[in-house]
């Protein structure tokens, strides 16, 4: 029995998923070289000339420039990342690196974040070039390494060492926006126009080493456990920005709900509720614990990693409050600190993205939102490039799409990839 025929966008995403580019952070990664070479070969197949930059062994970035019809217009950066977070195979229903296509769904690590969009970018540009056409303006296609570690060995080095790649560009589009959610059984699209700031911190507790059988009152693990529990119990207040206020107005228009209760409005968004509620406030989530080396030895040091995402402009206040929460016995070390950003839901590119969605899904509202996480758009801001999240997907109402970012059984409908490719092609042809 022959294999079913699948759209090219699904096959490209499947191939990329099958290249394990797991990124454990802190320089521990499988590396993106093979994925970058795959992307480069595809770009060559449609007549483009890829350039590679590998500032750290195997952490490979690839770029190609597509000439537009109107060289007087600023270039548009269309970018993705090639790394993925690790996946524990025993937790999944399928092999996370098999790229299995089953029951109309593409499964695997990267199906949502973000090898789906990588494939949409490639095939959208291919559609234009194979038709003998050009995009409206120059496109800078960039595929970065190390995004899942804050871009430290990827986009941050590319913008520093290869700024010429982005010459003439003023705007960018990438992941985590343009996808649909269901609000009280009505479809709406979220367009990402900002990102919370990122601060990854390490808590360090010091104690006295000793035998595990002793009465011991200076135990680093006990100190650390108290600090982690205190952070876990902290409840950060709602702090709205212009973008989250606009999001709430959009939700209120759809539901008739009150603007006075943001969490209640977000609850109408079904599976996306937790994703949206995180944009209203700071989040501080413990993610890694490290302490000890033997069952009967009390260690002198214990550490915890905390993923902190804050409303732009509140970074110093949040760090000061965290020190107050954990107490003076705990040292807070900043591992990574990156900017937040927010841009108005207005302008020619926003109008073009909203228009492209409207042509393919007429009458469905598009609402701005602030991403609770971060993307490589942060690095591009250092070059004066304004970034948006626009990876368009029309999704089933019951699919917990946002919950699959870094989750298990990551998957996306093939028909959603086809929709996204069509919308993206439309945008690149006309903007």
């Amino acid at each position: 029995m022959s294999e079913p025929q699948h759209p090219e966008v699904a096959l490209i995403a499947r191939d990329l998923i099958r290249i394990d580019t797991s990124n454990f952070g802190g320089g521990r990664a499988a590396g993106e070289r093979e994925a970058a070479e795959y992307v480069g070969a595809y770009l060559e197949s449609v007549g483009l000339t890829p350039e590679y930059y590998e500032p750290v062994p195997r952490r490979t970035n690839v770029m190609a420039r597509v000439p537009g019809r109107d060289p007087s217009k600023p270039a548009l950066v269309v970018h993705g990342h090639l790394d993925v977070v690790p996946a524990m195979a025993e937790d999944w229903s399928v092999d996370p690196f098999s790229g299995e296509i089953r029951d109309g769904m593409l499964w695997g690590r990267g199906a949502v974040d973000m090898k789906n969009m990588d494939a949409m970018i490639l095939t959208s540009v291919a559609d234009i070039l194979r038709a003998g056409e050009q995009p409206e303006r120059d496109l800078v296609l960039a595929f970065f390494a190390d995004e899942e570690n804050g871009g430290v060995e990827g986009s941050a080095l590319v913008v520093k060492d290869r700024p010429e790649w982005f010459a003439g560009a003023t705007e960018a589009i990438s992941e985590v926006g343009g996808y649909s959610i269901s609000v009280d059984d009505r479809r709406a699209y979220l367009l990402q126009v900002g990102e919370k700031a990122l601060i990854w911190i390490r808590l360090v507790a010091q104690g006295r080493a000793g035998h595990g059988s002793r009465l011991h009152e200076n135990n680093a693990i006990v100190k650390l456990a108290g600090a982690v529990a205190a952070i876990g119990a902290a409840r950060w207040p709602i702090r709205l920005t212009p973008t989250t206020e606009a999001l709430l107005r959009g939700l209120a228009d759809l539901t008739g709900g009150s603007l006075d209760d943001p969490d209640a409005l977000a609850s109408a968004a079904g599976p996306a509720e937790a994703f949206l509620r995180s944009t209203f406030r700071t989040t501080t989530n413990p993610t890694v614990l490290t302490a000890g080396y033997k069952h009967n030895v009390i260690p002198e040091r214990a550490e915890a990693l905390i993923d902190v995402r804050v409303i732009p402009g509140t970074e110093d206040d949040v760090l000061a409050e965290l020190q107050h929460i954990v107490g003076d016995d705990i040292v807070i070390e900043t591992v990574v600190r990156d900017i937040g950003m927010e841009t108005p839901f207005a302008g020619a590119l926003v109008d073009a993205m909203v228009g492209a969605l409207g042509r393919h899904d007429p009458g469905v509202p598009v609402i701005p939102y602030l991403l609770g996480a971060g993307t490589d758009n942060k690095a591009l801001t250092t070059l004066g490039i304004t970034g948006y999240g626009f990876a368009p997907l029309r999704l089933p109402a019951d699919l917990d799409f946002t919950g699959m970012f870094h989750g298990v059984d990551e998957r996306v409908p093939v028909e959603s990839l086809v929709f996204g490719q069509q919308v993206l092609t439309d945008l690149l042809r006309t903007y």
Side-chain angles (χ1 to χ4, degrees), residues 3-187:
E3 181 179 346
Q5 294 297 308
H6 299 294
E8 183 185 24
V9 64
L11 296 177
I12 299 299
R14 178 196 65 183
D15 290 349
L16 288 170
I17 288 169
R18 289 176 174 177
I19 303 171
D20 184 353
T21 53
S22 295
N23 187 351
F24 291 85
R28 299 177 298 117
E32 297 84 359
R33 183 183 295 168
E34 288 77 16
E37 290 171 345
Y38 177 97
V39 167
Y42 187 93
L43 295 170
E44 287 181 347
S45 77
V46 295
L48 300 174
T49 303
E51 296 181 34
Y52 298 89
Y53 181 51
E54 189 176 281
V56 178
R58 294 193 51 77
R59 311 312 302 275
T60 315
N61 307 271
V62 58
M63 182 279 299
R65 197 172 187 106
V66 187
R69 291 189 301 270
D70 188 347
S72 70
K73 291 185 174 181
L76 175 68
V77 182
V78 187
H79 64 98
H81 63 83
L82 296 172
D83 61 324
V84 296
V85 296
M88 303 297 107
E90 60 271 21
D91 297 333
W92 285 57
S93 302
V94 301
D95 178 346
F97 298 103
S98 65
E100 182 176 338
I101 300 176
R102 170 165 47 104
D103 299 328
M105 305 282 282
L106 171 65
W107 296 64
R109 179 60 88 211
V112 167
D113 183 13
M114 65 168 295
K115 290 177 176 178
N116 60 338
M117 177 60 168
D118 294 335
M120 287 158 53
I121 294 169
L122 292 172
T123 52
S124 292
V125 171
D127 280 352
I128 296 170
L129 297 180
R130 288 169 182 162
E133 302 173 3
Q134 289 179 280
E136 174 63 18
R137 64 185 67 219
D138 281 11
L139 303 178
V140 179
L141 310 180
F143 300 85
F144 294 116
D146 202 41
E147 192 275 344
E148 298 294 1
N149 186 46
V152 175
E153 295 185 347
S155 59
L157 295 180
V158 173
V159 299
K160 180 172 71 74
D161 299 336
R162 293 291 184 272
E164 67 276 8
W165 279 10
F166 309 99
T170 58
E171 296 171 312
I173 57 174
S174 188
E175 59 177 330
V176 207
Y179 58 90
S180 69
I181 61 172
S182 181
V183 182
D184 279 354
D185 298 324
R186 294 181 60 188
R187 188 162 60 249

Side-chain angles (χ1 to χ4, degrees), residues 320-381:
E321 180 62 20
L322 282 168
Q323 189 68 72
H324 174 73
I325 289 170
V326 301
D328 294 337
D329 280 349
I330 302 295
V331 173
I332 296 180
E333 299 175 352
T334 299
V335 180
V336 175
R337 179 168 173 168
D338 209 344
I339 61 170
M341 54 194 190
E342 190 171 15
T343 192
F345 183 59
L349 178 53
V350 168
D351 291 344
M353 292 185 286
V354 171
L357 283 169
R359 286 189 290 274
H360 293 267
D361 199 359
V364 179
V366 181
I367 303 171
Y369 88 110
L370 180 76
L371 177 64
T375 74
D376 284 319
N377 278 327
K378 293 181 187 295
L380 293 173
T381 62

